[in-house]
Amino acid sequence: MAAYGMGLIFLAVLAAQDIKEKKISVDKLIVFAVMAVLYRICIKQFFWQEILGAVIPGGILLLLSGATKEGIGYGDGMAVLVLGLWTGGWFAFHVMGIGIIFSGIYAAVCLVRRKREAFPFVPFLLAGMEVALIYA
């Protein structure tokens, strides 16, 4: 459960920065990624198969970032990748899916209001993580 708590803290830190600056700090990503790897080593869950599975959701989002010419930012993909290191791939997939649904609803509201601007995605990941934790 500690890993889920750290994942939540990680997303909260990034969400605050993403809302304020519309960017994600590479330094914070690296620090939390190293912490996640060290945590996995300490609890003896550092197996290459698990690590590979944990980073797949973030890898998919990184591919989407490239395909959409950063319509979805690379930082968002990296955030999901690091989240996967903390929580595992399946949980990160759930969080990402819920976050995409929430951001889609927000985007629809923006379209109705004729408000066309980029918006941060990590806060939707944070909300998705909270919902996923309720049902976990």
Side-chain angles (χ1 to χ4, degrees):
M1 202 61 178
Y4 293 112
M6 283 304 297
L8 197 58
I9 290 168
F10 165 67
L11 288 179
V13 167
L14 288 187
Q17 182 183 22
D18 201 13
I19 290 169
K20 187 176 178 182
E21 301 172 19
K22 295 230 190 320
K23 65 179 183 173
I24 296 171
S25 167
V26 173
D27 294 340
K28 288 177 184 162
L29 288 167
I30 291 170
V31 167
F32 275 98
V34 168
M35 288 171 50
V37 169
L38 291 175
Y39 173 77
R40 284 186 168 266
I41 290 170
C42 286
I43 64 169
K44 297 179 178 30
Q45 287 186 352
F46 191 79
F47 305 107
W48 71 269
Q49 298 94 333
E50 283 188 32
I51 299 300
L52 179 63
V55 299
I56 287 174
I60 290 171
L61 208 53
L62 285 170
L63 290 172
L64 283 173
S65 296
T68 62
K69 296 181 180 146
E70 272 199 281
I72 298 169
Y74 287 111
D76 300 323
M78 293 301 297
V80 172
L81 193 140
V82 174
L83 178 65
L85 290 174
W86 280 109
T87 63
W90 285 114
F91 193 81
F93 260 126
H94 289 273
V95 169
M96 187 173 72
I98 296 167
I100 288 170
I101 290 168
F102 285 163
S103 68
I105 293 168
Y106 180 76
V109 169
C110 288
L111 284 174
V112 168
R113 292 183 169 179
R114 299 183 194 270
K115 181 180 173 185
R116 298 183 66 95
E117 63 182 42
F119 54 88
F121 182 61
V122 176
F124 295 105
L125 288 174
L126 177 60
M129 174 93 175
E130 292 167 356
V131 169
L133 284 172
I134 289 170
Y135 293 104

